Amino acid sequence: MGNSNSKDESSLEDFGIEYASAIESTSLVNIKDKYGLFIDGNFVDSSSGKSFKTLNPSTEKPLSVVTEASSDDVDRAVRSASVSYEKYWKKMPGADRARYLFRIARHLQERAREFAVLETLDGGKPIKESRDVDLPLAAAHFFYHAGWADKLEYAFPQRKLEPHGVIGQIIPWNFPLLMAAWKLAPALACGNTVVLKPAETTPLTALLLAEVIRDVDLPPGVVNIVTGAGETGSAIVEHPEVNKLAFTGSTEVGKLIQRSAVKRNLPLTLELGGKAPHIIFEDAALDQAVEGVINGIFFNQGHVCCAGSRLLVQESIADYFIDRLQKRIELLRVGNPLDKNTDIGAINSLAQLERIDQLVKAGIDEGAEVFKPSCSLPENGYWYPPTVLTGVQQSHRVAREEIFGPVLVVQTFRTAEEALEKANNTPYGLSAGIWTEKGSLIHWMAERLRAGVIWANTFNKFDPTSPFGGYKESGFGREGGMQGLAAYLKNSGGNS
Amino acid sequence: MTGKIPIAKTYKLFIDGAFPRSESGRTFSVNNPEGELIANVSQASRKDFREAVRAARAAQLSWASRTAYNRGQILYRVAEMLESRKTEFVELLKSIGANSRSATREVEDSIQRWVWYAGWSDKYSQILGSVNPVSGPYFNFTVPEPTGVVGIIAPTEPSMLGLISRLVPAIVSGNTVVVVSEGESSLASVTIGEVLATSDVPAGVVNILTGDQTDLLPWMVGHLDVNAVDISGISHETDLTLIEEAASNVKRVISRQVNEESLELISDFLEMKTVWHPIGR
Amino acid sequence: MPTSTITFRETGSSIKVTPVDEVSLEARAASLATRSIKTTSKRAALHLAIRCMDLTTLEGADTPEKVASLCQKAKRPDPSNHDVPSVAAVCIYPEMVHHAVEGTEGSNVKVASVAGAFPSGLSTIEARTADIADAVKRGADEIDIVLNRSAFLSGDEQRAFEEIVASKDACGEAHLKVILEVGELGSYDKIRQASMLAMAAGADFIKTSTGKIPQASSLPRVLCMAEAVRDFAQQTNISVGIKAAGGIRTAKQAWHYLVVIGETLGTEWLSPEMFRIGASSLLNDVLLQLNRLDSGSYSGPDYVTVD
């Protein structure tokens, strides 16, 4: 009979790294045909009767119809939050507020997979990210802040602790549920009530969170969720009974909000854009640095305000490093976000896709060389391949403007001083990355980089205990940690 | 007999450690309550403001990178010098209308406030910073850092204590400042500048302009190289739409009671920096 | 650990050794372990795992009968299913080599022998090279030796290097696998250095472990070695194989290794010529998983042979 390998094996597929599809089931998710506004504990219609569609960006198919909140609706929501503040929340002991937050955290954990799938459907991010990052972190944020609700006097000793009252919160489309958690948890822990507006392209997980909030019996009106686009946002910003605003989104919109708030002396926190330098020294742990750079720019399709979008690599290893990086990019799987092996999902919207495309073209026009891997992109949906631009000068648009997509620009440097100078030469200052095995150099760089979050030998790590926020035009105020509470209490330091 | 005619002081601007006149050549007069002229004070222009920002920016990094202990020493030394010129300040405040008792009280309070903030230099980080217990093998800490260049609209009243209450919490952490003083409070401001000029505070750390706050306010809030503005001192009549331009570079805008003494004032001019590093072999 | 270099035996050129960050390395390995291997990919992975397997028995109590039985299983892992390929090799002590040669005759299954004062490596280099030469003479196709950790860790890398050179010479035509005993090295930086040192000295394969200490192969350790193999290939154009051994018991673990190798080194390493899994109990779990895929229902241990 001889050797068993003689058996015809051509019938067997070779094991390669093109894995068979492994699609996460969507059967857990029950998307309604239409969603109302969550005001005063109930889902209600808009006074104007207007609505808009939310799409699945990986198929361009509509998922549901969502109500557009008019300024009258926003007014209803603010009044509900205001009444609820006086009637329930202001009087409630911190320990009881904590109980509600703990409940929300638990419900998020229990329904994590459902939320993750919905997040991926509505926003286009890979299921492995919504499952392993967004959901665990969102729950962790509620857990962490729950514990603060009855311990605020330890965070701010010797001070009168007074909440603002009604807080208006506007969040972006890149981490829809997680940003809702970042905003709601500290606001509620500190005793405020909230009117929150999710982004118009990704409202569904916030609306599912509204169900959770109803299910945990949070007093009506403590959290109101109104859906809509810019006009709805403006109505919140301009509403005279909103006592404090918190916004995460583009620097452009952030400036408009600041304009409005500053002349009314209205407390405000802003978490805006970035153009983070990611600095690789020649003595770095290079394989891990490659992974860090990949994660830094391609995590969530690069739709990350703190994305490591400017690679600064030391001249002596630049060719080697860029070669490694390109080989690694070849391995990235772009496609169906519901596939558990997908690394890069869909671009969140057509508008964003066009913006990315336009900026990359500008980069090429200015003389950058472009690298894109050989991966194929699905026919329907909004897609952009992971892209690297080399030969980029500090003055190029792609080196200065936030692209907010899977596009990395590469520059080189010779000395630490030069790296620092290039790194800091931006109006932004949200985050920065450093890779070197030399401890003293890490601290030297970390001390001098003008950015709110410094990742040394790692990147894109988040934790509820770790304050997050920017310097310069990346905004002010912090989210997370003890320092993040400050914005939700009157006169507690930081930028009002 | 000579020596009986007093020599009046010329009140000039304080920029980058020097005392230039305004490039505009303009002055304004400060009178005593009886309406008698005390001094012609330089009236700063927007170009003077620009020069002052330039000086403040140039001085900022090196001031911030001194050790906290050293900044504390330098600022404590200023308090010593204020103490030695106590009589001068009392007389100055009296000349613009304070009675002897309230003038003495304000000067003593001012010196005390200066000492109080100077002592924070190597402590606020320990109160406001933290080591954060993140869920993973990372060492994670948050440290406060100075915001950068701060524009301050000095309170007009109380003129000495008001300025010191806004100034010292800003510079103690390593910010550099451009102060704009107005009217009769300019006298105390310029005199504080004279103290600073002979102290160990490096040139450019504190720049003091005298002039029209309402005129200079838009230039201050609109300047892209100013990171924060403290408008606590603006008058109640100021049109707040003037400060909209603060949004042009997402400036931190601070507005508080003018006469506070608190750690929160220091934190108003701080950025929180969080650093992550893996823990491994 | 700063970037260092090791001199390549063949050319005298310097090979660069990059530092390793433990936390990120482990995170990368963990992320690769989340690859979801389903349906056709799973079947292909299970078959490949068998084809790359070194079926091992390294017990003092080994007998010729046990080796014979091992060889039978190696050639025909599932007697009821001729689709199931044979394994790559049997791995045994030198005393058992001729039994294994007999047992695998007429098949593609190779005979691998540990040699050279396995598992400590602590005897004279003369004794160790004699042991190697003896195993080769008895018919071993592949020789698994250990790195002299005592020399390597005490700073005498030169001696550790020269001993591998001597061992390679003693192998003649036989393939040399150098066991780093990663569980004793103390850090990924040392694993990386030891990998480079063994390759620079002429190893055809680098192997994780003897299986004789509790700390054996792990996904991040193999990832660390695979990155060294990739760097070595890039710097010398020589492709060195990897063998993961010790503690690999489940089919799922096996395909995690295949994912790590495939995504780090490329599919050309996904073959018995370039990748091996040393194991004794893994094969049966792989067979159970294959049964499950074929029948659609879960199988049980009574439906595969114990040896």
Side-chain angles (χ1 to χ4, degrees), chain A residues 1 3-5 7 12-13 15 19-20 22 283-285 287-288 291 320 323-324 328 331 333 341 343, chain C residues 19-21 24-25 28 35-36 39 41 44 47 75-76 83 86 108 192 227 230-231 234 259 263:
Chain A
M1 177 198 96
N3 119 40
S4 56
N5 285 345
K7 170 80 190 173
L12 285 172
E13 198 176 314
F15 179 75
Y19 310 123
D283 72 336
D287 286 296
Q288 288 73 51
E291 291 307 318
Y320 170 82
D323 176 61
R324 288 244 56 80
R328 178 67 180 81
L331 290 171
R333 277 151 236 274
N341 291 323
D343 298 312
Chain C
V20 184
D21 180 81
S24 298
L25 176 84
R28 170 70 178 148
R35 289 292 188 213
S36 187
T39 59
S41 285
H47 277 248
K75 290 190 291 188
R76 174 71 58 225
D83 281 346
S86 55
N108 278 352
R192 191 65 158 254
E227 287 168 347
R230 184 208 57 209
D231 284 353
Q234 188 171 4
V259 166
E263 295 211 19

Side-chain angles (χ1 to χ4, degrees), chain C residues 20 29 43 67 70 93-94 99 103-104 108 123 140 149 157 162-163 203 216 220 244 255 292 298-299 307:
Chain C
V20 184
R43 184 189 306 276
V67 171
L70 191 77
Y93 274 120
H99 300 298
T104 57
N108 278 352
S123 62
R149 283 92 68 198
E157 288 106 345
E162 282 162 7
E163 288 181 0
W255 76 60
R292 150 89 180 84
Y298 292 102
S299 189
D307 56 19

Side-chain angles (χ1 to χ4, degrees), chain C residues 68-97:
Chain C
S69 156
L70 191 77
C71 291
Q72 197 51 45
K73 179 113 177 172
K75 290 190 291 188
R76 174 71 58 225
D78 185 349
S80 64
N81 184 352
H82 284 212
D83 281 346
V84 176
S86 55
V87 305
V90 289
C91 182
I92 37 75
Y93 274 120
E95 267 294 290
M96 296 293 156
V97 168

Side-chain angles (χ1 to χ4, degrees), chain A residues 265 491, chain B residues 113 117 155 157-158 162 165-166 230-233 236 254-262 265 268:
Chain A
N265 205 8
N491 292 317
Chain B
R113 187 144 301 168
Y117 279 117
E157 178 60 35
S165 298
R166 310 313 306 172
D230 181 348
I231 56 163
S232 308
H236 295 300
I254 310 298
S255 180
R256 285 182 181 270
Q257 297 297 311
V258 296
N259 194 8
E260 270 182 90
E261 179 181 85
S262 83
L265 266 64
D268 282 344

